[in-house]
Amino acid sequence: MSAESAGPGPGPEPGPLCPEHGQALKWFCCSERRPVCAACAERGGRCQGHRIRPAEERAEALRNKMVDQCERLQLQSAGITKYMAEVLPEKNQKAVSMASAARELVIQRLGLVRSLCETEEQRLLERVHGEEERAHQSILTQRVHWAEALEKLDTIRTFLVEVLTHMDDLQLIQKEQEIFERTEEAEGILDPQESRKLNFNEKCAWSPLLTQLWATAALGSLSGMEDVRIDERTVSPFLQLSDDRKTLTFSAKKSKACADDPERFDHWPNALAATSFRAGLHAWIVNVQNSCAYKVGVALGQLPRKGSGSDSRLGHNTYSWIFSRYDQEFCFSHNGQHKPLGLLRCPAQLGILLDLQAQELLFYDPASGMVLHTHHASFPGPLFPVFAVADQTISIVH
């Protein structure tokens, strides 16, 4: 391509001259990536056959690219600034808050059995403190990292703005490699991502010894036992309720004596307790030795009562958290997810502990002192003890 065929070039401007022809460097050779004069671009010149553009056009393309890059850097800086101003302080506060709650939980439980587990108390408190320090240090490290990233982005942006505002076309073109390196460096700075390292790990306060001792103390304390009775309005027509409202007996034939009630389960052999729990620690025991098919646990009041679907089937929906037995198989179920429990013996009684402060549900064998299953969850509302039986009887123990 010749200079003439490329169209009229930029107007005459003072500037460096071609060392070979002594003419103004008004053109840009895309093949050699350098400014050239008209003679270089013409037939017989060193750039004959190369793709030639006016230097002014090349500079304008670079300027547009740098403007776009500056806008991206500005948006990225704004995102990081918001992350540092909002997310990291919130993470720090949450870690401190959760650490404080974990301390209270550990101290409260160990208060029941302090004579037996003072060493355990110290060990757990040190773990909580260590986890809090780890989370705090992770947050501080993130703060330093992103502060450095912000500083680097600001430096790169300042450089680009300086180039844009103070360099002429030729200087801009000569800076192209450095511009590329700087923008590539900026693109290497990734946006903040959610990381578990920034969260307090509440599992540091969990201890098999503590759970075992706490369950024994809670179930062995009369003050911790609830007088749970069944709400007769909810009892399935496949169940018979005792006069004291504590025993459920399964019947394969559907009772016609049950009055229709919107609270009654009409298909599955379920029943809800009359009382719900909103806060605190609650414990009750169910005698299950006569049944080979039962379910025991807690449920939300919104648990549907009608129909044969999963919505009203205990353990198959988001409304219920259930320990169940079918013959020799035991499992914990919630929302259709079933976790098999490898029990070596069938418990005659089943203790249920509900700690709403710690958001923990625990199933326990009072006879052996064994914790059968522990479940941690964010329970969304008041919880009712719930029962189902499809073989013989189960009874709430006072």
Side-chain angles (χ1 to χ4, degrees):
M1 173 181 177
S2 68
E4 289 78 11
S5 62
E13 293 179 6
L17 301 177
C18 175
E20 184 177 349
H21 302 101
Q23 297 183 21
L25 301 171
K26 296 182 179 181
W27 300 89
F28 180 79
C29 176
C30 297
S31 300
E32 297 186 4
R33 306 191 66 79
R34 68 181 186 88
V36 297
C37 69
C40 292
E42 291 176 347
R43 181 175 299 178
R46 61 179 298 169
C47 295
Q48 179 182 349
H50 292 179
R51 185 167 173 260
I52 306 297
R53 299 174 61 187
E56 183 182 65
E57 182 181 317
R58 175 60 178 172
E60 183 63 23
L62 280 175
R63 285 192 181 92
N64 292 336
K65 185 176 180 180
M66 291 166 62
V67 168
D68 291 342
Q69 184 64 39
C70 287
E71 291 176 353
R72 285 194 295 270
L73 294 177
Q74 187 174 9
L75 289 174
Q76 186 178 15
S77 296
I80 294 176
T81 300
K82 183 178 180 181
Y83 179 81
M84 293 180 63
E86 298 178 9
V87 178
L88 291 183
E90 180 183 349
K91 291 285 186 184
N92 190 58
Q93 182 61 36
K94 188 174 181 180
V96 172
S97 175
M98 292 182 69
S100 177
R103 285 195 192 90
E104 292 177 5
L105 175 64
V106 170
I107 294 173
Q108 177 190 15
R109 288 187 174 181
L110 286 174
L112 298 174
V113 288
R114 187 166 299 279
S115 62
L116 180 63
C117 56
E118 287 183 352
T119 302
E120 184 75 350
E121 177 184 13
Q122 182 63 32
R123 184 182 73 86
L124 290 174
L125 290 176
E126 288 177 356
R127 285 179 61 183
V128 169
H129 178 73
E131 175 61 17
E132 180 186 16
E133 287 294 311
R134 183 208 60 75
H136 182 65
Q137 188 60 46
S138 295
I139 292 170
L140 289 178
T141 301
Q142 283 280 296
R143 189 181 295 277
V144 171
H145 170 77
W146 291 113
E148 292 175 352
L150 270 180
E151 183 178 356
K152 186 177 294 185
L153 288 174
D154 185 62
T155 300
I156 295 172
R157 186 170 179 273
T158 300
F159 165 77
L160 294 176
V161 171
E162 187 76 16
V163 171
L164 276 171
T165 56
H166 294 91
M167 290 191 179
D168 59 25
D169 294 351
L170 182 59
Q171 292 173 322
L172 181 65
I173 293 172
Q174 292 173 337
K175 283 282 188 179
E176 182 176 1
Q177 182 60 32
E178 184 176 356
I179 293 169
F180 172 77
E181 292 173 354
R182 293 291 190 95
T183 54
E184 190 176 54
E185 181 182 5
E187 290 170 357
I189 300 175
L190 304 179
D191 292 332
Q193 301 292 325
E194 173 62 29
S195 171
R196 286 187 296 179
K197 294 181 179 179
L198 300 178
N199 299 328
F200 181 88
N201 181 11
E202 59 184 353
K203 290 184 179 180
C204 69
W206 297 358
S207 161
L209 173 61
L210 174 57
T211 300
Q212 194 87 17
L213 294 173
W214 168 72
T216 303
L219 285 174
S221 170
L222 291 178
S223 62
M225 296 299 294
E226 303 290 342
D227 184 17
V228 175
R229 295 179 187 269
I230 294 168
D231 184 349
E232 59 186 353
R233 298 175 305 162
T234 69
V235 177
S236 164
F238 291 100
L239 300 177
Q240 296 178 1
L241 180 63
S242 62
D243 292 340
D244 63 0
R245 297 191 290 136
K246 287 181 172 290
T247 299
L248 290 169
T249 302
F250 176 73
S251 173
K253 293 184 178 180
K254 189 173 184 178
S255 173
K256 297 181 180 179
C258 292
D260 188 25
D261 192 296
E263 297 298 318
R264 191 179 307 282
F265 293 96
D266 67 354
H267 180 82
W268 300 107
N270 304 340
L272 278 180
T275 305
S276 65
F277 306 123
R278 297 174 178 269
L281 172 64
H282 308 275
W284 60 99
I285 296 176
V286 182
N287 189 332
V288 295
Q289 64 181 339
N290 295 324
S291 179
C292 292
Y294 62 81
K295 293 181 178 182
V296 176
V298 295
L300 297 171
Q302 302 96 304
L303 177 68
R305 311 291 203 267
K306 309 302 180 182
S308 60
S310 295
D311 283 352
S312 57
R313 189 179 183 185
L314 299 185
H316 289 255
N317 48 64
T318 59
Y319 306 106
S320 54
W321 295 259
I322 300 299
F323 178 99
S324 65
R325 175 188 176 183
Y326 290 99
D327 292 329
Q328 300 301 310
E329 296 181 358
F330 298 84
C331 72
F332 174 79
S333 302
H334 172 65
N335 197 23
Q337 301 296 315
H338 310 288
K339 180 179 180 180
L341 306 176
L343 304 189
L344 299 178
R345 59 183 295 272
C346 300
Q349 292 186 332
L350 196 62
I352 299 94
L353 272 72
L354 177 63
D355 188 345
L356 290 171
Q357 177 187 350
Q359 296 286 286
E360 181 177 359
L361 176 64
L362 183 147
F363 299 94
Y364 180 82
D365 181 357
S368 66
M370 179 184 297
V371 174
L372 306 178
H373 183 69
T374 302
H375 181 73
H376 293 261
S378 296
F379 299 111
L383 295 173
F384 292 80
V386 68
F387 313 89
V389 58
D391 174 62
Q392 302 296 321
T393 67
I394 60 173
S395 300
I396 304 169
V397 178
H398 180 66

